[in-house]
Amino acid sequence: MKNLFADIIVANTNVDRPFTYLIPMNLRDKVTPGCPVLIEFGKLTKKGYIIDIKEESDVDISKLKYIKDIENGELSTDENLLRLAIWIKHRYGVTFDKAISTVMPVKSNVEEKTTNEIFLNQDIGEDILKELTKKRKVAWVRLLKELKKTESLPQSYVNKELKVNSATIKRMAEEGYIKVGNKQRKSNPLLPILKSLGVEDFNEIQATNEYILNEEQKLAVDIFKKDFDSGNKNTYLLHGITGSGKTLVFINMIKYVISKGLQAIVLIPEISLTYQTVLRMAEHFKDRVAIINSKLSKNERFYQFDRIKNGDADVIIGPRSAIFAPVKRLGLIVIDEEHDSAYKNENVPTFNVRDVAGKLANIAGASLLLASATPTPETYNRAVTGEIKLLELKERAKNTSLPKVSIVDMRDELKMGNRSIFSNKLKTLIEDRLRKHEQVMLFMNRRGYSSFVSCRSCGEAIKCKHCDVTMTLHNNNKLVCHYCGYSIDLPKVCPSCGSRYIANFGTGTQKLEAMTREVFPSAKVLRMDTDSVSKKNSANDMIRDFARGDADILIGTQMIVKGHDFDNVTLVGIMAADTSLYVSNYNSAQRTFELLTQAAGRAGRAKSGEAVIQTYKPENYAIVAAAAQDYKKYFENEIAYRKLGGYPPVCHMLTVMFSSIREEELNKCATAIVNTLKSDNIFKNSVIIGPTDPSVVKVKDYYRKLVYIKNANYDILLDIQKKIEEGLGSYRNVGAVYDFN
Ligand code: ADP
Ligand code: ZN
Ligand code: ZN
């Protein structure tokens, strides 16, 4: 018989190329591209991934080794994902190994053969956990905590992963905390996940409201169906105002795809913040849903992936990483709230999942739907140019209109002698709602907060006199420009108007809470931010309490503006609308518009509502357009600004962060590399900015320098990346991290 060869990427090495191995007879029928295998590499046995199988090889056969075995207990990556990994490697300039481990988030399973299964034997409350912690029974607490999250755990998992030994398990069973039994097939795979979302009873979610699609919704679904039937696998932007019923639209599209025997992936920004969407999906698709959630134990995660692989789930819901779920018959990918920054992978490779999803849809022959009330200018621009299809929902689904939004100029308030955090208008409206027993949400924009200084009289933020960017506050007494390094002492009066009322935007949610209680002593106030959520109870609990009417006023950060539907909220106050404008980043206006629109959109979901935007920059286009709830107006301004500045989508941008323990070598290296790039002819159409200081110069003893490179041609940026890598070769102590767009 003829020989068969496999090209293999060796895991956990820096050698970034495939090696050829022979496939032994006994494995011929078992290996496929994407299969994890064991090979001899150097003198060691290593894991690798087959990326290609072929009948010919130009390498001398006598020099080749055989694959030793298939790595058992690991899911093999399917071919689509492998092709995606190869694309990721080239697109983001990472190694094969990195690219493959990116698409394979589930590393190992826990033995399936186990017969022993561990169950909770009694309700374990915080008091019991506390008591055990006091007795220093760390392993006990660890196991009980894991068990609380799920129904049961296999003993092998408890032994190996949780490192709780069998003697301990025996003692715990004897004392009645747990019992050891046989594994039962879980009756409903959703239960443990729903439990982690705060739903105790599956029946709770079964009351489905079967709404009839309204005309706009129906039109959107029909366009999709027609394309789908004629074999056009398009990318769509579903642009619908807040409350227009986008979810129902894509649920119907998914139903259609399922009726054709295919599966769908639905990406959501963050599961705990969008649990209403998850519940709605569960209502419709019941136990044909698989949910990927960072809160899942390793075991549950593997179980979900296994169900997906076996085709036991039609709809896979999860955050960013769910795009790599091993779906066999992919028909549709939905990215809900496509503008959300959670879709950007902050680690290397720094992809935005939109782009990866686009490629995967293309590889798998699937459609892609991007849904948002405030799409990114990049995506909207693709719709404007006709590259992708635009589906629009212009009306709210329930018979309510958009909230009435007004802008209050806080500089005027100060002039009138009102130094309170509440404008007169907002204060009057809150009092009115409290009287009517309607609810209020107060949103505090945290992005960029307290890192810059601005004037409460004239609204100006203090800028660098050499560059047009806001200066950043360091250690509360120095202002530094991150573009040129210019620094000044924190001034006592405003450089523009001489006012003494200059301050950093240090009013956090805690302070807002205290002031709210002071001004509205009769109101019940609830605060939701990262602090209060981690300290007290989960985000879901708070949201449920508020929805139930347990509080009059909900105060919060970004957390409260996402996707929640509160019927009794008729007023939204936006406290410091402009903080996000001063972040020196090309998408600061976008973030501001997005947050304001989403926040204002929380008002009047069922009854008619109102929103008040308090700002020192009432003339800014992002704020004006958000108040008018006019996306197109915003987009026109935004795209003009992006053109002027040469920012994406007009231009591509590569951000390079150099870092080193040795400051001097870092500076020398970054400067030398930038100079080489500037003098190189093929890069002459690139704009190169830097090296400059990032907002945090030193992290964990590593000094850092930033360089921005802009070019209309993405491939040139990839070339530049290669050049930089070459340049780094002569600086042993300097590393670089690349971020595209
Ligand atoms: P969006 O995601 O566009 O902001 P949602 O999908 O959350 O909007 O829908 C807003 C509200 O309107 C939800 O309570 C939803 O149940 C309801 N809804 C959606 N479609 C319809 C419809 N066709 N008829 C009645 N109510 C609807
Ligand atoms: Zn001033
Ligand atoms: Zn400057």
Side-chain angles (χ1 to χ4, degrees):
M1 218 192 233
K2 277 180 71 183
N3 280 312
L4 264 190
F5 305 89
D7 281 345
I8 293 175
I9 293 296
V10 188
N12 306 316
T13 52
N14 291 323
V15 209
D16 189 29
R17 66 176 183 89
F19 292 84
T20 306
Y21 284 77
L22 282 160
I23 303 178
M25 269 322 157
N26 61 329
L27 293 182
R28 280 198 169 198
D29 300 334
K30 294 186 187 153
V31 295
T32 50
C35 185
V37 289
L38 295 173
I39 45 170
E40 195 184 316
F41 187 75
K43 291 255 149 20
L44 302 168
T45 297
K46 289 215 161 216
K47 193 171 78 185
Y49 297 97
I50 298 182
I51 59 163
D52 198 11
I53 293 178
K54 48 195 194 182
E55 293 183 353
E56 319 249 322
S57 166
D58 13 316
V59 190
D60 178 3
I61 291 198
S62 64
K63 294 221 172 98
L64 292 180
K65 291 178 195 140
Y66 279 99
I67 293 176
K68 284 185 144 176
D69 204 350
I70 293 180
E71 165 86 312
N72 275 320
E74 186 172 316
L75 293 170
S76 66
T77 318
D78 72 56
E79 269 197 77
N80 285 345
L81 289 179
L82 192 70
R83 284 164 68 190
L84 188 64
I86 291 169
W87 177 81
I88 286 175
K89 173 196 164 44
H90 294 297
R91 176 81 185 181
Y92 300 100
V94 293
T95 61
F96 263 122
D97 186 33
K98 189 84 206 163
I100 289 176
S101 63
T102 302
V103 307
M104 296 203 39
V106 173
K107 286 270 154 50
S108 61
N109 78 340
V110 180
E111 256 171 60
E112 270 291 305
K113 284 167 268 161
T114 14
T115 45
N116 274 352
E117 188 80 1
I118 312 229
F119 299 85
L120 274 186
N121 195 34
Q122 52 168 293
D123 248 345
I124 304 290
E126 287 303 320
D127 44 332
I128 297 182
L129 291 179
K130 250 191 214 136
E131 205 187 296
L132 290 173
T133 310
K134 243 190 232 147
K135 292 188 191 155
R136 300 187 182 248
K137 303 210 166 199
V138 193
W140 295 43
V141 172
R142 190 162 60 236
L143 173 57
L144 292 175
K145 275 192 178 159
E146 279 303 302
L147 281 171
K148 270 168 72 91
K149 285 190 214 152
T150 159
E151 286 185 319
S152 66
L153 291 169
Q155 176 154 359
S156 60
Y157 175 77
V158 173
N159 289 152
K160 277 192 218 149
E161 298 292 332
L162 296 181
K163 309 249 181 290
V164 179
N165 63 31
S166 302
T168 308
I169 292 175
K170 194 156 161 259
R171 272 309 291 273
M172 289 176 77
E174 282 165 3
E175 294 192 20
Y177 290 99
I178 56 171
K179 58 178 188 257
V180 183
N182 279 329
K183 179 168 180 149
Q184 309 163 327
R185 266 284 126 198
K186 287 171 190 163
S187 49
N188 188 328
L190 267 187
L191 275 183
I193 296 148
L194 290 174
K195 218 169 165 187
S196 78
L197 294 176
V199 179
E200 295 298 333
D201 181 4
F202 194 58
N203 291 323
E204 237 179 83
I205 62 157
Q206 281 179 331
T208 308
N209 285 320
E210 276 294 348
Y211 290 123
I212 300 162
L213 294 179
N214 63 34
E215 263 174 50
E216 285 184 325
Q217 288 174 320
K218 188 168 178 309
L219 182 66
V221 176
D222 285 347
I223 291 176
F224 172 80
K225 285 186 184 170
K226 215 171 140 215
D227 286 348
F228 198 88
D229 285 341
S230 57
N232 290 329
K233 301 297 148 52
N234 286 318
T235 297
Y236 303 86
L237 168 61
L238 176 61
H239 180 212
I241 60 168
T242 53
S244 59
K246 294 183 284 295
T247 315
L248 199 63
V249 168
F250 62 72
I251 283 177
N252 277 276
M253 293 175 176
I254 294 170
K255 283 189 170 167
Y256 193 69
V257 167
I258 294 175
S259 77
K260 303 284 172 191
L262 300 176
Q263 295 162 290
I265 296 177
V266 179
L267 300 184
I268 52 184
E270 220 173 311
I271 217 148
S272 61
L273 301 180
T274 37
Y275 85 115
Q276 285 184 341
T277 308
V278 177
L279 291 188
R280 252 183 272 166
M281 305 291 287
E283 276 173 25
H284 283 267
F285 303 106
K286 306 276 179 344
D287 60 354
R288 301 294 295 171
V289 166
I291 300 178
I292 319 260
N293 176 347
S294 58
K295 282 193 187 141
L296 297 183
S297 69
K298 235 175 157 183
N299 195 39
E300 284 169 335
R301 212 177 147 78
F302 185 83
Y303 181 48
Q304 295 293 329
F305 269 59
D306 209 37
R307 290 180 59 229
I308 298 165
K309 232 180 138 71
N310 295 336
D312 293 340
D314 298 322
V315 186
I316 294 87
I317 310 175
R320 194 174 67 220
S321 65
I323 195 68
F324 305 121
V327 178
K328 283 259 153 40
R329 296 165 279 112
L330 187 61
L332 173 65
I333 304 169
V334 174
I335 304 185
D336 194 18
E337 312 284 353
E338 73 93 29
H339 59 270
D340 201 291
S341 54
Y343 289 128
K344 176 81 192 279
N345 191 27
E346 297 296 344
N347 301 321
V348 176
T350 53
F351 59 85
N352 188 306
V353 80
R354 274 197 311 272
D355 304 323
V356 173
K359 186 62 197 176
L360 180 62
N362 177 265
I363 290 172
S367 306
L368 171 63
L369 181 88
L370 309 170
S372 175
T374 51
T376 52
E378 287 86 340
T379 299
Y380 199 79
N381 194 51
R382 292 172 69 199
V384 168
T385 57
E387 186 194 331
I388 65 178
K389 265 197 177 176
L390 182 62
L391 307 173
E392 283 183 299
L393 305 178
K394 294 177 176 160
E395 305 283 333
R396 281 198 155 178
K398 291 176 176 165
N399 273 327
T400 53
S401 40
L402 280 173
K404 191 174 134 224
V405 186
S406 37
I407 298 180
V408 175
D409 186 340
M410 291 305 277
R411 296 171 301 186
D412 293 344
E413 295 289 315
L414 194 68
K415 272 185 221 145
M416 291 185 308
N418 176 12
R419 273 184 237 155
S420 144
I421 189 167
F422 297 100
S423 62
N424 282 324
K425 168 148 195 160
L426 183 57
K427 182 160 175 270
T428 315
L429 287 176
I430 293 176
E431 281 162 353
D432 172 70
R433 297 314 193 264
L434 292 174
R435 239 187 334 267
K436 291 195 217 150
H437 298 287
E438 292 175 350
Q439 289 173 297
V440 178
M441 284 166 79
L442 295 179
F443 167 67
M444 181 107 215
N445 192 350
R446 251 194 66 111
R447 187 174 282 271
Y449 122 100
S450 86
S451 62
F452 62 91
V453 170
S454 73
C455 170
R456 293 186 59 191
S457 299
C458 73
E460 286 303 317
I462 297 181
K463 287 185 170 174
C464 172
K465 63 176 177 185
H466 307 290
C467 321
D468 190 30
V469 298
T470 317
M471 299 182 82
T472 303
L473 189 61
H474 283 231
N475 304 330
N476 270 322
N477 52 27
K478 273 236 175 310
L479 287 169
V480 179
C481 170
H482 285 169
Y483 278 77
C484 70
Y486 177 69
S487 98
I488 53 171
D489 289 334
L490 181 61
K492 299 260 178 314
V493 297
C494 170
S496 312
C497 77
S499 161
R500 307 184 276 119
Y501 293 108
I502 94 168
N504 68 342
F505 264 92
T507 322
T509 40
Q510 251 164 348
K511 207 160 158 197
L512 175 59
E513 181 188 3
M515 287 173 173
T516 308
R517 288 183 195 280
E518 201 180 298
V519 180
F520 310 101
S522 69
K524 273 194 243 144
V525 181
L526 194 65
R527 176 171 59 92
M528 184 168 149
D529 53 27
T530 26
D531 277 351
S532 67
V533 162
S534 56
K535 271 191 206 126
K536 288 188 217 138
N537 28 21
S538 74
N540 295 329
D541 292 343
M542 283 199 198
I543 285 167
R544 274 197 307 180
D545 290 351
F546 186 64
R548 215 188 283 140
D550 287 357
D552 305 303
I553 301 178
L554 175 65
I555 290 176
T557 51
Q558 266 73 340
M559 258 189 192
I560 64 171
V561 308
K562 290 187 186 177
H564 307 296
D565 226 2
F566 301 112
D567 283 353
N568 200 32
V569 171
T570 57
L571 175 64
V572 170
I574 296 161
M575 307 309 291
D578 17 1
T579 50
S580 54
L581 281 176
Y582 302 126
V583 181
S584 32
N585 188 333
Y586 72 85
N587 56 21
S588 60
Q590 176 197 341
R591 292 275 175 252
T592 304
F593 176 78
E594 204 174 283
L595 280 169
L596 298 189
T597 311
Q598 304 276 354
R602 294 304 116 203
R605 304 281 285 189
K607 305 172 189 176
S608 60
E610 219 169 315
V612 175
I613 297 178
Q614 300 193 158
T615 173
Y616 295 93
K617 288 245 151 185
E619 68 289 339
N620 180 275
Y621 69 84
I623 290 176
V624 173
Q629 311 256 319
D630 188 342
Y631 182 86
K632 285 193 178 118
K633 177 115 196 160
Y634 152 75
F635 176 77
E636 280 162 21
N637 280 294
E638 184 71 45
I639 205 79
Y641 160 73
R642 302 271 177 115
K643 273 188 187 137
L644 208 65
Y647 297 116
V650 182
C651 228
H652 293 287
M653 199 155 123
L654 168 63
T655 309
V656 191
M657 174 85 84
F658 293 97
S659 68
S660 173
I661 294 223
R662 302 193 190 163
E663 196 176 11
E664 221 170 279
E665 187 168 348
L666 173 72
N667 294 342
K668 223 173 99 193
C669 164
T671 312
I673 286 179
V674 165
N675 287 340
T676 323
L677 292 179
K678 281 183 176 159
S679 62
D680 200 318
N681 233 356
I682 51 168
F683 304 134
K684 73 168 183 287
N685 287 327
S686 302
V687 178
I688 300 171
I689 303 165
T692 126
D693 284 335
S695 48
V696 188
V697 172
K698 192 172 161 190
V699 176
K700 294 182 188 145
D701 291 334
Y702 275 81
Y703 296 91
R704 307 172 333 151
K705 281 274 177 210
L706 273 174
V707 174
Y708 302 94
I709 302 145
K710 294 196 264 184
N711 198 299
N713 185 341
Y714 192 93
D715 291 336
I716 291 189
L717 292 184
L718 285 173
D719 289 344
I720 290 181
Q721 185 197 11
K722 283 204 193 99
K723 257 266 156 17
I724 296 175
E725 279 292 305
E726 281 169 34
L728 276 176
S730 23
Y731 299 88
R732 273 206 326 187
N733 298 305
V734 184
V737 176
Y738 307 90
D739 185 0
F740 289 92
N741 288 338

